[in-house]
Amino acid sequence: MRIRNRLLTVAGVAAGAPAPAGHNPTQRSETETYTFVPREITLRTLARALTVSGSLAAAVALGGLAATPALAATTLSSGHVDVLDADWDGSALSLHVHDEETDTEYDPADVTLSVPAAAKVANPGYGFLGTGSQVWLLPDTEAEADAAGVLFPGISTEHLTTGVFANNNVTYRLLSATRNGAATEDFSIYAGSGSRWFDSDTSTTSFKSRTFAVGTHNHANWAFEEAGTYQLTFRVQGTVSGVTQSDTAVYTVVVS
């Protein structure tokens, strides 16, 4: 069983707190203060236990601890990263971001995906990519991504095993997409020569969901037509023993 690096350290009360009642100073002459040992809690446990999101809320919720963010935001800008990565722990389906380079998993809320100017390419001319001369593209091959120094984004179900989900598949759904806070039509995912998987174009209900077999690893081109801060809301959904299981997450992508 692979142990994943998804631990969140929550800081305790700093040294200097008064000794508890009944304390005998002669028994611990080396110090008269106490420091709580930090507790480590998995991100997935936090996700189930809390109804508020973000590291700050998590820190506050745990035993009345000080309101200090427990985990700094992580920016990923290059390398093989499975942006949509689903996991099933026997009772819940969850989404996370899996950095294949370091074998690290992140809660989507704690990650910013960076798409730099190096990702700009000539618009390949597919109608759904708009009329601009260039688009920001995260390519579907690792060689192209490495050459440009940009992310190689994946859509994965490799952590889901056969015999659990109905028809041995799950569905990823694009629920919404915004750029700089407003609904946008400037995001799409496509394979090969313009075969769309997802498209944020609100004028059509097509290209909003795609079903993948469990135990698979998939790559396609992620295209952004304008610079800005995108918020992409995705849901993964499957059926286990006749019961629908799902998880929804918001992904932040900064295109510059």
Side-chain angles (χ1 to χ4, degrees), residues 66-142:
T68 301
L71 183 66
T74 297
T75 297
L76 300 176
S77 59
S78 63
H80 184 176
V81 174
D82 290 334
V83 178
L84 301 179
D85 196 4
D87 198 9
W88 170 256
D89 67 359
S91 61
L93 190 60
S94 61
L95 280 169
H96 52 256
V97 176
H98 188 178
D99 185 348
E100 294 277 357
E101 303 296 330
T102 61
D103 197 21
T104 303
E105 290 181 357
Y106 301 95
D107 187 301
D110 292 318
V111 174
T112 296
L113 302 171
S114 175
V115 183
K120 283 186 180 181
V121 299
N123 189 329
Y126 307 130
F128 60 87
L129 291 178
T131 59
S133 62
Q134 292 183 310
V135 295
W136 284 256
L137 192 71
L138 301 179
D140 61 357
T141 69
E142 193 162 17

Side-chain angles (χ1 to χ4, degrees), residues 15-30:
H23 170 66
N24 184 350
T26 62
Q27 294 178 349
R28 293 178 59 89
S29 60
E30 71 276 11

